[in-house]
Amino acid sequence: METLLCLVLLMVIAGGVYVLFVKRGDAVKQGEQLAAGMNFDLENVGPFLEELSQVFNQGFTSEQIDFIQSEIEGMKVDHELNEIGTFPLTYKGETADIRIEAEIHIEDDLKEVVLTMYSRPEVVRIIDQEMMRFIEERGM
């Protein structure tokens, strides 16, 4: 019964996108970060980061994407949380640091990752929009 409940919960989480807010957007103070997060099948992380990079003046490099992917692939314990790192990108001519955390979920041989990206509010809104577009285009 407990396994069934866990499986149902995992399916509900896997089917949706969520956005975590430190505070409501209208109450965010200067310098505070918000976060956008989404569940990905492991093979979709790289393609998402590549597509996300296109909306920035200077996005993730292929080396950064490879690093992020390899860090996630190295996670072997269910519910393991890993702060991957902070990556400087350029948005509207300004540096926009994006901090990435990953939590792995393993069911049998299937790996799913919850990718959470922290940055300043306007950048998080863009990340969230790109996450929504990514899943809509793929019918996820």
Side-chain angles (χ1 to χ4, degrees):
M1 183 70 172
E2 186 175 328
T3 304
L4 181 61
L5 181 60
C6 288
L7 183 58
V8 169
L9 182 58
L10 182 61
M11 288 172 56
V12 169
I13 292 171
V17 173
Y18 68 92
V19 178
L20 303 171
F21 288 98
V22 175
K23 294 186 179 183
R24 303 277 316 153
D26 56 348
V28 175
K29 296 178 186 158
Q30 183 70 18
E32 285 192 276
Q33 292 188 332
L34 300 180
M38 187 171 101
N39 291 21
F40 288 91
D41 290 334
L42 192 55
E43 67 271 5
N44 287 325
V45 172
F48 171 72
L49 294 174
E50 289 170 7
E51 289 184 23
L52 178 62
S53 293
Q54 302 304 311
V55 302
F56 292 97
N57 302 106
Q58 181 180 8
F60 293 101
T61 66
S62 59
E63 292 83 12
Q64 290 171 326
I65 293 171
D66 290 345
F67 172 77
I68 294 165
Q69 188 81 29
S70 69
E71 285 291 306
I72 294 169
E73 289 172 0
M75 298 169 70
K76 304 290 185 201
V77 179
D78 191 29
H79 297 287
E80 180 179 353
L81 182 63
N82 183 0
E83 185 165 332
I84 305 294
T86 301
F87 303 88
L89 289 85
T90 305
Y91 177 68
K92 292 186 177 178
E94 295 181 17
T95 299
D97 288 334
I98 296 178
R99 183 171 55 93
I100 298 178
E101 288 182 352
E103 181 177 359
I104 199 79
H105 296 275
I106 303 169
E107 183 72 29
D108 297 322
D109 288 334
L110 301 174
K111 273 188 173 181
E112 182 179 88
V113 62
V114 177
L115 197 65
T116 307
M117 305 175 87
Y118 298 86
S119 192
R120 63 182 195 243
E122 69 177 318
V123 173
V124 168
R125 284 184 196 85
I126 290 165
I127 294 168
D128 184 49
Q129 289 171 357
E130 290 302 305
M131 286 177 170
M132 295 298 290
R133 185 193 55 73
F134 189 83
I135 63 167
E136 287 172 4
E137 285 180 357
R138 286 160 180 77
M140 298 166 64

Tab-separated table of all heavy atoms in Angstrom, residues 72-96:
chain	number	residue	atom	x	y	z
A	72	ILE	N	24.545	15.194	-12.526
A	72	ILE	CA	23.254	14.540	-12.294
A	72	ILE	C	23.374	13.041	-12.542
A	72	ILE	O	22.873	12.231	-11.751
A	72	ILE	CB	22.157	15.174	-13.171
A	72	ILE	CG1	21.914	16.620	-12.723
A	72	ILE	CG2	20.867	14.360	-13.102
A	72	ILE	CD1	21.050	17.430	-13.673
A	73	GLU	N	24.044	12.651	-13.609
A	73	GLU	CA	24.213	11.230	-13.914
A	73	GLU	C	24.982	10.504	-12.823
A	73	GLU	O	24.791	9.314	-12.601
A	73	GLU	CB	24.906	11.056	-15.265
A	73	GLU	CG	24.021	11.416	-16.430
A	73	GLU	CD	24.743	11.438	-17.763
A	73	GLU	OE1	25.965	11.168	-17.807
A	73	GLU	OE2	24.076	11.746	-18.774
A	74	GLY	N	25.843	11.233	-12.109
A	74	GLY	CA	26.618	10.637	-11.022
A	74	GLY	C	25.835	10.447	-9.735
A	74	GLY	O	26.319	9.797	-8.803
A	75	MET	N	24.642	10.980	-9.673
A	75	MET	CA	23.812	10.831	-8.478
A	75	MET	C	23.189	9.434	-8.505
A	75	MET	O	22.526	9.069	-9.463
A	75	MET	CB	22.751	11.934	-8.432
A	75	MET	CG	23.351	13.330	-8.352
A	75	MET	SD	22.157	14.669	-8.597
A	75	MET	CE	21.212	14.554	-7.081
A	76	LYS	N	23.396	8.667	-7.448
A	76	LYS	CA	22.988	7.259	-7.451
A	76	LYS	C	21.977	6.896	-6.359
A	76	LYS	O	21.460	5.797	-6.348
A	76	LYS	CB	24.216	6.363	-7.271
A	76	LYS	CG	25.301	6.586	-8.307
A	76	LYS	CD	24.895	6.102	-9.656
A	76	LYS	CE	26.068	6.240	-10.638
A	76	LYS	NZ	25.653	6.259	-11.999
A	77	VAL	N	21.701	7.802	-5.424
A	77	VAL	CA	20.840	7.492	-4.287
A	77	VAL	C	19.506	8.209	-4.448
A	77	VAL	O	19.463	9.417	-4.708
A	77	VAL	CB	21.517	7.937	-2.965
A	77	VAL	CG1	20.627	7.652	-1.773
A	77	VAL	CG2	22.871	7.255	-2.806
A	78	ASP	N	18.406	7.467	-4.297
A	78	ASP	CA	17.074	8.044	-4.410
A	78	ASP	C	16.923	9.219	-3.437
A	78	ASP	O	17.334	9.134	-2.283
A	78	ASP	CB	16.019	6.975	-4.112
A	78	ASP	CG	14.610	7.422	-4.454
A	78	ASP	OD1	14.447	8.253	-5.381
A	78	ASP	OD2	13.662	6.949	-3.803
A	79	HIS	N	16.388	10.299	-3.905
A	79	HIS	CA	16.154	11.549	-3.151
A	79	HIS	C	17.449	12.283	-2.798
A	79	HIS	O	17.437	13.185	-1.965
A	79	HIS	CB	15.309	11.317	-1.893
A	79	HIS	CG	13.937	10.817	-2.196
A	79	HIS	ND1	12.967	11.610	-2.735
A	79	HIS	CD2	13.385	9.591	-2.060
A	79	HIS	CE1	11.869	10.905	-2.906
A	79	HIS	NE2	12.100	9.667	-2.513
A	80	GLU	N	18.538	11.916	-3.450
A	80	GLU	CA	19.803	12.620	-3.233
A	80	GLU	C	19.656	14.045	-3.770
A	80	GLU	O	19.123	14.269	-4.854
A	80	GLU	CB	20.922	11.893	-3.966
A	80	GLU	CG	22.286	12.534	-3.808
A	80	GLU	CD	23.387	11.760	-4.536
A	80	GLU	OE1	23.123	10.660	-5.057
A	80	GLU	OE2	24.503	12.282	-4.583
A	81	LEU	N	20.133	15.017	-3.006
A	81	LEU	CA	20.086	16.423	-3.388
A	81	LEU	C	21.511	16.896	-3.609
A	81	LEU	O	22.390	16.652	-2.787
A	81	LEU	CB	19.410	17.246	-2.293
A	81	LEU	CG	19.222	18.731	-2.547
A	81	LEU	CD1	18.308	18.950	-3.749
A	81	LEU	CD2	18.636	19.405	-1.314
A	82	ASN	N	21.736	17.567	-4.730
A	82	ASN	CA	23.080	18.013	-5.074
A	82	ASN	C	23.008	19.451	-5.565
A	82	ASN	O	22.277	19.755	-6.501
A	82	ASN	CB	23.651	17.106	-6.169
A	82	ASN	CG	25.077	17.440	-6.537
A	82	ASN	OD1	25.690	18.354	-5.990
A	82	ASN	ND2	25.619	16.714	-7.498
A	83	GLU	N	23.744	20.334	-4.908
A	83	GLU	CA	23.869	21.690	-5.429
A	83	GLU	C	24.942	21.632	-6.505
A	83	GLU	O	26.133	21.490	-6.220
A	83	GLU	CB	24.237	22.690	-4.339
A	83	GLU	CG	24.237	24.088	-4.883
A	83	GLU	CD	24.235	25.170	-3.819
A	83	GLU	OE1	23.728	24.941	-2.718
A	83	GLU	OE2	24.756	26.258	-4.119
A	84	ILE	N	24.511	21.739	-7.757
A	84	ILE	CA	25.399	21.565	-8.898
A	84	ILE	C	26.381	22.717	-9.016
A	84	ILE	O	27.556	22.523	-9.280
A	84	ILE	CB	24.598	21.438	-10.211
A	84	ILE	CG1	23.562	20.313	-10.123
A	84	ILE	CG2	25.517	21.252	-11.399
A	84	ILE	CD1	24.108	18.931	-9.994
A	85	GLY	N	25.897	23.948	-8.838
A	85	GLY	CA	26.783	25.095	-8.927
A	85	GLY	C	26.046	26.352	-9.353
A	85	GLY	O	24.842	26.336	-9.595
A	86	THR	N	26.780	27.435	-9.431
A	86	THR	CA	26.251	28.720	-9.864
A	86	THR	C	26.941	29.088	-11.174
A	86	THR	O	28.167	29.017	-11.274
A	86	THR	CB	26.493	29.811	-8.801
A	86	THR	OG1	25.854	29.402	-7.587
A	86	THR	CG2	25.936	31.150	-9.237
A	87	PHE	N	26.118	29.473	-12.139
A	87	PHE	CA	26.616	29.726	-13.488
A	87	PHE	C	26.260	31.147	-13.914
A	87	PHE	O	25.089	31.526	-13.867
A	87	PHE	CB	26.008	28.705	-14.464
A	87	PHE	CG	26.293	27.300	-14.053
A	87	PHE	CD1	25.439	26.628	-13.183
A	87	PHE	CD2	27.427	26.659	-14.497
A	87	PHE	CE1	25.711	25.336	-12.778
A	87	PHE	CE2	27.712	25.358	-14.091
A	87	PHE	CZ	26.850	24.694	-13.235
A	88	PRO	N	27.262	31.944	-14.320
A	88	PRO	CA	26.982	33.306	-14.774
A	88	PRO	C	26.535	33.303	-16.239
A	88	PRO	O	27.225	32.760	-17.101
A	88	PRO	CB	28.329	34.013	-14.609
A	88	PRO	CG	29.344	32.920	-14.752
A	88	PRO	CD	28.686	31.657	-14.246
A	89	LEU	N	25.372	33.877	-16.484
A	89	LEU	CA	24.868	34.051	-17.832
A	89	LEU	C	24.668	35.545	-18.043
A	89	LEU	O	24.704	36.320	-17.093
A	89	LEU	CB	23.545	33.300	-18.027
A	89	LEU	CG	23.691	31.778	-18.073
A	89	LEU	CD1	23.692	31.204	-16.684
A	89	LEU	CD2	22.585	31.184	-18.877
A	90	THR	N	24.429	35.937	-19.263
A	90	THR	CA	24.193	37.350	-19.536
A	90	THR	C	22.767	37.522	-20.038
A	90	THR	O	22.348	36.833	-20.969
A	90	THR	CB	25.179	37.886	-20.592
A	90	THR	OG1	26.509	37.630	-20.151
A	90	THR	CG2	25.005	39.382	-20.794
A	91	TYR	N	22.046	38.444	-19.385
A	91	TYR	CA	20.678	38.743	-19.775
A	91	TYR	C	20.518	40.264	-19.817
A	91	TYR	O	20.807	40.952	-18.838
A	91	TYR	CB	19.686	38.130	-18.781
A	91	TYR	CG	18.260	38.469	-19.078
A	91	TYR	CD1	17.633	37.973	-20.218
A	91	TYR	CD2	17.532	39.295	-18.236
A	91	TYR	CE1	16.322	38.290	-20.507
A	91	TYR	CE2	16.217	39.616	-18.510
A	91	TYR	CZ	15.617	39.111	-19.646
A	91	TYR	OH	14.321	39.429	-19.932
A	92	LYS	N	20.088	40.771	-20.954
A	92	LYS	CA	19.937	42.216	-21.158
A	92	LYS	C	21.213	42.965	-20.793
A	92	LYS	O	21.192	44.003	-20.149
A	92	LYS	CB	18.754	42.761	-20.358
A	92	LYS	CG	17.412	42.275	-20.863
A	92	LYS	CD	16.280	42.947	-20.124
A	92	LYS	CE	14.934	42.519	-20.676
A	92	LYS	NZ	13.819	43.120	-19.951
A	93	GLY	N	22.353	42.395	-21.183
A	93	GLY	CA	23.633	43.046	-20.966
A	93	GLY	C	24.173	42.960	-19.554
A	93	GLY	O	25.241	43.496	-19.273
A	94	GLU	N	23.470	42.294	-18.641
A	94	GLU	CA	23.925	42.179	-17.257
A	94	GLU	C	24.141	40.719	-16.908
A	94	GLU	O	23.456	39.839	-17.414
A	94	GLU	CB	22.881	42.765	-16.296
A	94	GLU	CG	22.664	44.253	-16.434
A	94	GLU	CD	21.632	44.758	-15.433
A	94	GLU	OE1	21.337	44.051	-14.453
A	94	GLU	OE2	21.128	45.864	-15.640
A	95	THR	N	25.095	40.477	-15.994
A	95	THR	CA	25.320	39.123	-15.520
A	95	THR	C	24.135	38.679	-14.676
A	95	THR	O	23.641	39.432	-13.835
A	95	THR	CB	26.605	39.037	-14.678
A	95	THR	OG1	27.705	39.406	-15.509
A	95	THR	CG2	26.838	37.633	-14.144
A	96	ALA	N	23.673	37.481	-14.949
A	96	ALA	CA	22.578	36.886	-14.183
A	96	ALA	C	23.067	35.529	-13.692
A	96	ALA	O	23.165	34.581	-14.468
A	96	ALA	CB	21.337	36.725	-15.055
